[in-house]
Amino acid sequence: MARASQARLDRTRRTVWVLRLAMIAFVAIAVAVIYVTNQLLTERFTETTRNRAEVRMTLYAGNLLSELQRNSIVPQLLARDPELIGALRSAEYSRSTQRLLSFVDEIGAASLMLLDRDGRTVAATDRNRLGENHRTDAYYVNALRTNTTVFTVSPRDNGGYSFVYSRRVDDAGTGLGVITVEVDLAKLERSWANISDAVLVTDSAGLIILSTEPRWRGLEETAALERQSAPSAIERAVRATQDWAAVPIDAYLLGEAVLRREARIPFQGWKMVTYTTYASVRERVNGILALEIMGFAILLALVFWVSSRKAASRLIFFQRESAELRQLNIRLQREIAEREKVEKTLEVAEQTLAQSSKLAVLGEMSAAVSHELNQPLAAMKTYLAGARLLLQRKRPDEALSSFQRIDDLIDRMGAITRQLKSYARKGADAFEPVDTRDALSSALAMMEPQLKVRKVEITRTLPTEPSMILGDRLRLEQVIVNLLRNALDATKAAEEPRIDILLAVGETVRLTIRDNGPGIDDLDALFEPFYTTKQPGEGVGLGLAISSGIVNDLGGRLTARNATAGGAVFELQLPILKAGAEAAE
């Protein structure tokens, strides 16, 4: 009895130490997971913040340049207006102001002014400025010296800058006055202030002429950052970046790190600078970390609860140990419980096995769908990028051609999915006469974006006469695309990648595709499902297996070998369509 008690005591001590070690391991794993998650999420969300800042700055610069260019043509048009020229010639300006007011809303400018030969304002959209003398203003003096439109940036008396296009009004070679158009760039400042933390624009001399922080205007960037800035931007940046050490910094504001981006505006040497805080990054990372910590805490609480339950059960068991009858009863109960547990475990195992079989079938099907749809999706992505560039360059007709190709690819994807649903179908229900040359041309057209990016040398040798077979053109194109794609992947490491395509017609139609890659290591397992020599994520090993099945359905044969001079050679042989069979079809 003493030995049994000592043995139970030793087991209890070992259990306590095991629980302690498990607790230490659990805490270490939790700390490691939280640390790694913090690093990965911080890098990911920081990169997202950088990309958004780049996109916003590009949009801001484009809007600013568009506003300037849109107003630059206005002085040239107004300088040729017959009514304004007649008013300056006759010194009759009763209708000139109304004439300018009819233009200002349509143009979208801040204000329009008509100055006579002496620099006096004789007509203006702002009637309070009538009679003002601008004889010494730069935009008046510069306009009189040239017959082109002049752009002038001048400081305002109440702060900020005015941006004015001016042009001399001539009549028969004689200067009658000057027309001025003030560009409303303040609305851009207001829109920037509602979205970004801080934005500024400097001229060629480095002075800030536009800024979401009014106190910065007229200063250089270094001097502006030394000032106490408005709480809407800089204080927010300081609060958001306090104790921030997990991301690389680009600039400092009041001693704290923020994201600084700079871009040049192609207009008189102007430059745009934006400052963006990392507030959203830390908030998002902290939210996910809080969920992880909560999960670990719940799991730890469950462990404690289970441990306490085990301790209570053990205490009750020790108290009832003296009764031999109860010991036997408990033993029987345990055996019954174990048997029920085994039965439940067996039932769960059977259900799990059935579910695993279903998931395996679904996995094979999804892998096949992914493999066959990957090529059209890649081509669609390339055509979309090309269409976007064409639209930006105002070439809509060419962009429509890209959209038509995308529509054709969508139809092709629909046909592929319909075929994948019926891969088990055998026979020639949908077979029709197909010219192998046309199928090869369609496959090369689909691979055109990848071939252009890789700059692979393609040599084609085709017969002049049609090479007709009886089959499904879409499935034949799938086979050719798979072979071309494998050849393209095999030539990645080649210094001068080359793919040779030979189509010959004899007793059979024979298509040969040869590359100058490293060749094939295991020819026996090449056509087995899920066998691949590519890196993870680049292929699932279904392409050649599917292609071989399609060729067999067409009554042909697909073989592979290594070339003597290096590289791999794939040969596709299909029965030729006789003239009599084609007529019967």
Side-chain angles (χ1 to χ4, degrees), residues 367-495:
V369 173
S370 174
H371 182 274
E372 294 301 321
L373 297 183
N374 185 49
Q375 193 66 36
L377 287 174
M380 288 171 62
K381 184 176 182 181
T382 304
Y383 287 136
L384 281 174
R388 186 183 297 110
L389 291 175
L390 291 172
L391 290 176
Q392 291 176 353
R393 297 175 180 176
K394 299 183 178 179
R395 295 158 63 182
D397 295 337
E398 300 180 24
L400 287 176
S401 176
S402 297
F403 289 138
Q404 182 59 45
R405 292 187 178 183
I406 294 172
D407 186 62
D408 295 339
L409 289 173
I410 292 174
D411 293 339
R412 179 182 180 85
M413 291 168 65
I416 289 175
T417 55
R418 289 193 297 272
Q419 284 191 353
L420 288 174
K421 294 178 182 178
S422 57
Y423 261 141
R425 173 180 58 81
K426 302 293 182 179
D429 298 337
F431 286 0
E432 59 183 4
V434 177
D435 191 348
T436 311
R437 299 180 304 172
D438 296 339
L440 177 60
S441 299
S442 299
L444 287 172
M446 183 176 298
M447 293 291 296
E448 182 180 0
Q450 289 85 341
L451 296 175
K452 286 185 177 179
V453 172
R454 288 286 312 282
K455 298 182 180 178
V456 180
E457 180 183 358
I458 304 293
T459 61
R460 288 182 289 181
T461 304
L462 306 178
T464 57
E465 299 296 329
S467 53
M468 305 300 295
I469 66 168
L470 184 63
D472 188 340
R473 174 171 174 173
L474 180 60
R475 303 178 73 186
L476 178 60
E477 290 177 6
Q478 289 178 233
V479 174
I480 299 175
V481 167
N482 281 331
L483 296 179
L484 289 174
R485 184 180 181 185
N486 288 339
L488 188 64
D489 293 339
T491 57
K492 285 184 178 179
E495 295 181 359

Side-chain angles (χ1 to χ4, degrees), residues 196 258 339 408 422 505 515 535:
S196 298
V258 294
R339 183 170 299 177
D408 295 339
S422 57
V505 179
D515 60 71
Q535 297 296 325

